[in-house]
Amino acid sequence: MEYNFNEIEKRWQQYWIDHQTYKVSIDPDKPKFYVLDMFPYPSGAGLHVGHPLGYIASDIYSRYKRLNGFNVLHPMGYDAYGLPAEQYAIQTGQHPAITTEKNIARYREQLDKIGFSYDWDREVKTCDPDYYHWTQWAFIQMFNHYYDKQADKALPIEQLLARFEKQGTEGLEAAETEALSFSAAEWKQKSEREQQEVLLNYRLAYLADTMVNWCPALGTVLANDEVKDGFSERGGHPVEQKRMRQWLLRVSAYAERLLKGLDTIDWSDSLKEIQRNWIGRSEGAEMNFPVKDSEVEMKIFTTRADTVFGVTFMVLAPESELVQQLTRPEYRAEVEAYLEKTKKRTERERQTEVKKMTGVFTGAYAINPLSKEEIPVWVSDYVLAGYGTGAIMAVPAHDSRDFAFARTFDLPIPQVVVPKGEAPGDTSTWKDSIDSKEGTMINSGFLDGLSVPEAIERTKQHLVETGIGNVKVNYRLRDAIFSRQRYWGEPFPVYYKDGLPHMLREDELPLPLPEVDKYLPTEKGEPPLARAKGWTTKEGYPLEVNTMPGFAGSSAYYLRYMDPKNSKELVSPEANNYWQDVDLYIGGTEHATGHLVYSRFWNKFLFDLGKVCKDEPFKKLVNQGMIQGRSNFVYRVKGSNTFVSLNLKEQYDTMEIHVDVNMVHNDVLDIEAFRAWNPEYKDAEFVLEDGKYLCGWAVEKMSKSMFNVVNPDTIVAQYGADTLRLYEMFLGPLEQSKPWDTNGIDGVHKFLRKVWRLFVDKEGQLVVSDAQATAEELKVLHRTIKKTSDDVERFSFNTAISSFMICVNDLNDLKCNKRAILEPLLVLLAPFAPHLCEELWHKLGHEGSICDAQWPAFNADHLVESSIQYPVSFNGKMRFKLELPADMPPAEVEKAVLADEQAQKWIADKEVKKVIVVPGKIINIVVAG
RNA sequence: GCCCGGAUGGUGGAAUUGGUAGACACGCAGGACUUAAAAUCCUGUGGCCAUUGCGGCUGUGCGGGUUCAAUUCCCGCUCCGGGUACCA
């Protein structure tokens, strides 16, 4: 009987459902292990073959851990809110909930066919009120907390209120939008409204007027990580800067902890590096520059305080408040014109015109606090309002932007750092600024002669002592804009009273998403929720009309899986204390600066509240590589309906046409399928080579338009789920990106058939014997146990599969069909090919699932060799092999090898300079002459 | 521009701490079985030279270096992929 994967897979998938094989619950007698996949957004296109790559890897690891005695939590769910369903709703009027449910059903169907060990009782959907209840709840908590830098954690806003009552801002160190200073008396004199405005300056979820990334085509704002090169990541629409009142999350309060936490978690270096860059910590100094004939001081941030003697001008960001204060009347018109002009420039233009410097002089002069020189103050959009203080000191000789600006407006460029081993140069001949990270200070007063690091320290010291400035750490990480002007998202648990935001009570949650007549903004330009009838509290106060962004629902889903049905809290302390954190998280790098920052922030906040027991949510994270598409081409002779095979195309004038890869096998075109594909090709003629039509190929993005999308269902129907699982893993290292290439899938399928035939003969009879295993057979088995255990531990699934193949080939050669060998082998293979192994496991007479078997123990005794085939090298080149006893001491080995006649041939009349013997490894003979 | 990662046969890839380069698989070529095909099995397969046998030379993107020994370590470069970008 042949290996009938269709029947086998159907049978065991049903068995697993019937026996609740993958249901898990808290079991204090077993160690826990939590394996998590990044949950998918259920798109209308369904899963393609790239999606399950990570799921298969995590599934193998989950099953492996279970076989090793762990209680494994391995859940799955859906990131169900998102733009595509809403865009579809706008076009068709179909409620996004319906679209989403349909897509989820399709995803589920596809996932089920692959044989995953998910506990579906724990499924979460972010659009489910029982789920977003806790998203809304967390938002309320953030609104009700502020970040205290002394305690280095979030504290209740009541504590801040009490403090203001008692001592105002005196001694307060808190994360804030802007630095405020008032006494207790001043606080008490403030009106309720004023007090609330002040509190928004501290709340971790707060309303503020900010410059946002406005995408007119989508009709909404976007977070920084949702914008790529001035275009929206979804849809590729242009994005512009706009000032709007929005909800924000004070992620920046956690910048330092987010950075430090990276050192405690097992993530890839590249991913950590991306996060470090995104957080962008830079240590520097804040310095105050007095302004001539003015009370105003310009505060600037610099990481290179040592170059202060090289400053020849100051630059303000156009949005800086100082622009109005400093601009001299006679320059006002010019400055206004410039501000007007820059406002019109989109983010996109600012980025593409990097080289072109624009700016305007304000007429004001600042005074260099160290050199006492007067220096002109300019305005230019190359300075960003959002970073540092929105004002800079320009050091044109050593900063390329400042240099370009100085050249454009003909400002002086004095050199203050001389690189090691060079003489001071003539800056008027320079094409660009010169690097100044290393070198010696010149033209810098009391800093002259010092090295750069010394000068930085000395200047900082000087600033602090004289009160001119202070040492300061800046972060690039911005607060996350949390409002979206969309329908299909979580409603905010917020209402407005006299224009001030208030939170719903916790017992009023969840606040369900209302129905609307259209999924479009109102005529007044308000978000879709403004269309909802009765969108007010019981008392009649209007509810917030914005909704939350995509990352809201994905920021704590891993916690909800621990206790998905709890209606009283996000996760019970019992469940959280047992499951703790995610031991292994598998997903793509594309979430490096979005989800993986926000969920770490969210988790740290909940940790501060004592709601979760771990500061970092994801202990180990493995990035799976992207699966690219592999397109196939046919070559049409221009102006005809004739197609020529790949290697003949040079003889004709042809054009390349994409063909659906699903009708190409091993680059050979299925001509009948091609003719049926499109009426245009019905009567196509073919010029073949060797009787076949060979297609060309290229690696491209996997997309419908390239006809290179391969669905897992197709592969499952053709080869079975076990083959798909094996092949996805066999393709190469998990972390590496690679094109999906079905060439080669026959190899793993053949392997599974070979496994089948070790157990079952042609008549379908079990041929397993109870005879005792030989030493040789045991060696094969234990070599495989060792190799596959090591490989699974380090996520090297492709090499694990190779070693299975070697093992099965060896057992075939040995004609081994002994239970003592085959049964442990089956357990090893079960995480990879669960259906086949379950079938054979039961054929062997077992009652329960192979999932509850025990991973075979490795016994090194079986691998001990009495002799070793030493490779013998001459000057590092391997020449022949020599079998010697394994325990022969190196001196004996040397003697033996020199006495060998093959060695003599190679030595001939040359002089033996040295013999290196690495016991058990290699012999190298160094000869000269 | 800056920061990461990568480059090995016709193809995907292996070589875990510097120790036999090319495991395993695809493809290809030849053969066995078969009326035939499919399936299965066997043999060969980096390149060049020699193939009468032994073999020999060369080879991990390029150029140097360290070492008895380098795909692996160091220096310089080329190309490819990813991240990021007026972040002071």
Side-chain angles (χ1 to χ4, degrees), chain A residues 227-298:
Chain A
V227 181
K228 287 254 141 57
D229 300 326
F231 289 91
S232 68
E233 202 175 29
R234 285 232 180 239
H237 306 291
V239 172
E240 56 195 51
Q241 296 303 108
K242 192 172 167 182
R243 204 172 182 84
M244 281 177 80
R245 195 157 175 86
Q246 300 282 300
W247 284 105
L248 290 101
L249 300 187
R250 206 176 296 282
V251 179
S252 61
Y254 284 82
E256 188 63 33
R257 277 169 64 187
L258 288 169
L259 189 66
K260 281 210 186 111
L262 291 173
D263 297 333
T264 68
I265 51 184
D266 185 7
W267 293 14
S268 74
D269 289 337
S270 70
L271 188 57
K272 285 189 189 183
E273 205 50 38
I274 292 170
Q275 290 220 342
R276 283 193 193 103
N277 291 338
W278 190 256
I279 295 165
R281 184 184 200 272
S282 64
E283 227 171 283
E286 272 183 352
M287 219 186 285
N288 289 310
F289 282 62
V291 177
K292 194 182 159 196
D293 304 327
S294 166
E295 294 296 297
V296 180
E297 283 202 329
M298 283 182 70

Side-chain angles (χ1 to χ4, degrees), chain A residues 171-191:
Chain A
L172 175 70
E173 281 185 54
E176 57 201 5
T177 309
E178 57 179 315
L180 299 179
S181 170
F182 50 80
S183 65
E186 287 168 321
W187 170 255
K188 285 172 196 154
Q189 275 168 14
K190 288 182 196 289
S191 68

Side-chain angles (χ1 to χ4, degrees), chain A residues 312-530:
Chain A
T312 51
F313 57 101
M314 310 288 284
V315 188
L316 291 170
E319 298 87 352
S320 170
E321 291 162 16
L322 289 179
V323 175
Q324 297 306 327
Q325 296 175 41
L326 293 184
T327 302
R328 297 269 151 177
E330 59 273 33
Y331 290 89
R332 190 156 294 273
E334 233 175 298
V335 169
E336 289 297 339
Y338 180 72
L339 295 186
E340 207 41 51
K341 203 174 84 195
T342 53
K343 212 179 279 173
K344 282 202 197 113
R345 285 178 87 195
T346 62
E347 186 77 355
R348 178 82 195 145
E349 283 165 351
R350 278 174 77 152
Q351 279 177 357
T352 48
E353 295 167 14
V354 167
K355 295 271 135 54
K356 244 167 65 189
M357 280 293 177
T358 61
V360 64
F361 180 46
T362 60
Y365 287 87
I367 295 158
N368 186 326
L370 268 71
S371 71
K372 307 296 177 202
E373 277 175 298
E374 288 183 11
I375 45 185
V377 179
W378 289 67
V379 179
S380 172
D381 64 4
Y382 86 87
V383 174
L384 302 177
Y387 185 77
T389 61
I392 61 149
M393 62 177 212
V395 186
H398 305 293
D399 180 285
S400 64
R401 296 152 305 175
D402 297 346
F403 183 89
F405 193 85
R407 271 288 145 81
T408 307
F409 295 100
D410 206 17
L411 295 156
I413 304 175
Q415 184 177 8
V416 285
V417 178
V418 183
K420 223 176 176 176
E422 288 179 27
D426 175 7
T427 60
S428 68
T429 64
W430 289 4
K431 292 220 159 52
D432 201 350
S433 60
I434 63 155
D435 181 74
S436 59
K437 285 191 203 80
E438 283 166 18
T440 312
M441 307 306 300
I442 54 163
N443 303 328
S444 293
F446 66 96
L447 299 174
D448 279 350
L450 294 181
S451 72
V452 167
E454 287 167 352
I456 291 176
E457 272 321 296
R458 185 70 179 276
T459 317
K460 280 185 186 168
Q461 208 183 341
H462 183 81
L463 294 178
V464 174
E465 279 166 9
T466 55
I468 294 168
N470 53 284
V471 177
K472 165 98 184 183
V473 175
N474 250 318
Y475 299 90
R476 205 181 74 105
L477 183 73
R478 308 295 170 76
D479 289 346
I481 297 162
F482 205 60
S483 300
R484 295 291 180 278
Q485 292 68 41
R486 306 295 304 194
Y487 174 72
W488 192 231
E490 298 87 348
F492 281 87
V494 173
Y495 64 93
Y496 290 88
K497 202 157 131 187
D498 305 325
L500 283 174
H502 292 268
M503 296 295 122
L504 295 178
R505 291 192 319 274
E506 285 185 28
D507 63 12
E508 294 172 304
L509 299 182
L511 173 65
L513 185 65
E515 295 301 319
V516 292
D517 57 345
K518 265 193 246 169
Y519 306 98
L520 287 169
T522 64
E523 287 65 35
K524 282 191 281 176
E526 292 168 299
L529 288 199

Side-chain angles (χ1 to χ4, degrees), chain A residues 895-908:
Chain A
K895 242 185 264 172
V897 73
L898 289 177
D900 189 84
E901 70 180 279
Q902 292 181 88
Q904 282 305 318
K905 194 191 107 190
W906 280 98
I907 294 164

Side-chain angles (χ1 to χ4, degrees), chain A residues 89-327:
Chain A
I90 291 169
Q91 285 162 24
T92 64
Q94 173 160 287
H95 197 291
I98 296 172
T99 315
T100 304
E101 273 311 315
K102 218 165 82 191
N103 293 347
I104 286 176
R106 166 103 175 96
Y107 264 60
R108 178 64 191 275
E109 193 190 326
Q110 289 186 295
L111 290 171
D112 280 347
K113 282 186 185 159
I114 305 175
F116 292 119
S117 61
Y118 296 126
D119 177 1
W120 284 107
D121 286 351
R122 291 174 183 265
E123 177 192 79
V124 301
K125 299 172 191 171
T126 54
C127 64
D128 182 345
D130 290 337
Y131 179 84
Y132 65 67
H133 183 153
W134 304 106
T135 312
Q136 294 173 335
W137 168 83
F139 179 81
I140 294 176
Q141 305 310 311
M142 289 180 194
F143 182 80
N144 288 328
H145 283 79
Y146 77 106
Y147 199 87
D148 189 291
K149 288 185 182 172
Q150 279 151 339
D152 203 18
K153 64 186 284 195
L155 293 178
I157 202 84
E158 290 78 31
Q159 291 191 24
L160 186 65
L161 271 172
R163 186 184 188 114
F164 287 163
E165 298 279 344
K166 221 169 89 193
Q167 59 194 86
T169 54
E170 174 76 38
L172 175 70
E173 281 185 54
E176 57 201 5
T177 309
E178 57 179 315
L180 299 179
S181 170
F182 50 80
S183 65
E186 287 168 321
W187 170 255
K188 285 172 196 154
Q189 275 168 14
K190 288 182 196 289
S191 68
E192 163 74 14
R193 165 177 295 276
E194 284 168 338
Q195 288 188 346
Q196 286 302 323
E197 282 291 337
V198 168
L199 288 177
L200 285 175
N201 193 55
Y202 300 96
R203 295 182 189 275
L204 287 175
Y206 63 99
L207 262 181
D209 288 313
T210 43
M211 295 305 283
V212 298
N213 305 303
W214 173 253
C215 179
L218 293 173
T220 191
V221 302
L222 298 169
N224 286 339
D225 65 279
E226 292 169 323
V227 181
K228 287 254 141 57
D229 300 326
F231 289 91
S232 68
E233 202 175 29
R234 285 232 180 239
H237 306 291
V239 172
E240 56 195 51
Q241 296 303 108
K242 192 172 167 182
R243 204 172 182 84
M244 281 177 80
R245 195 157 175 86
Q246 300 282 300
W247 284 105
L248 290 101
L249 300 187
R250 206 176 296 282
V251 179
S252 61
Y254 284 82
E256 188 63 33
R257 277 169 64 187
L258 288 169
L259 189 66
K260 281 210 186 111
L262 291 173
D263 297 333
T264 68
I265 51 184
D266 185 7
W267 293 14
S268 74
D269 289 337
S270 70
L271 188 57
K272 285 189 189 183
E273 205 50 38
I274 292 170
Q275 290 220 342
R276 283 193 193 103
N277 291 338
W278 190 256
I279 295 165
R281 184 184 200 272
S282 64
E283 227 171 283
E286 272 183 352
M287 219 186 285
N288 289 310
F289 282 62
V291 177
K292 194 182 159 196
D293 304 327
S294 166
E295 294 296 297
V296 180
E297 283 202 329
M298 283 182 70
K299 183 182 262 187
I300 59 98
F301 174 75
T302 178
T303 55
R304 292 299 304 276
D306 57 311
T307 59
V308 66
F309 286 90
V311 175
T312 51
F313 57 101
M314 310 288 284
V315 188
L316 291 170
E319 298 87 352
S320 170
E321 291 162 16
L322 289 179
V323 175
Q324 297 306 327
Q325 296 175 41
L326 293 184
T327 302

Side-chain angles (χ1 to χ4, degrees), chain A residues 707-773:
Chain A
F707 298 108
N708 60 8
V709 177
V710 181
N711 288 319
D713 321 57
T714 317
I715 306 288
V716 169
Q718 226 175 329
Y719 295 95
D722 285 336
T723 298
L724 173 74
R725 292 170 63 103
L726 235 55
Y727 188 58
E728 293 233 5
M729 294 298 102
F730 191 62
L731 222 42
L734 181 61
E735 293 93 334
Q736 205 170 294
S737 285
K738 56 231 157 189
W740 176 263
D741 178 357
T742 321
N743 299 351
I745 195 165
D746 292 326
V748 289
H749 189 66
K750 236 184 266 180
F751 160 73
L752 288 178
R753 280 208 297 257
K754 281 188 201 171
V755 173
W756 177 260
R757 281 200 306 270
L758 280 177
F759 291 80
V760 180
D761 67 12
K762 284 197 176 83
E763 281 71 46
Q765 292 302 306
L766 194 69
V767 292
V768 174
S769 85
D770 287 321
Q772 207 172 4

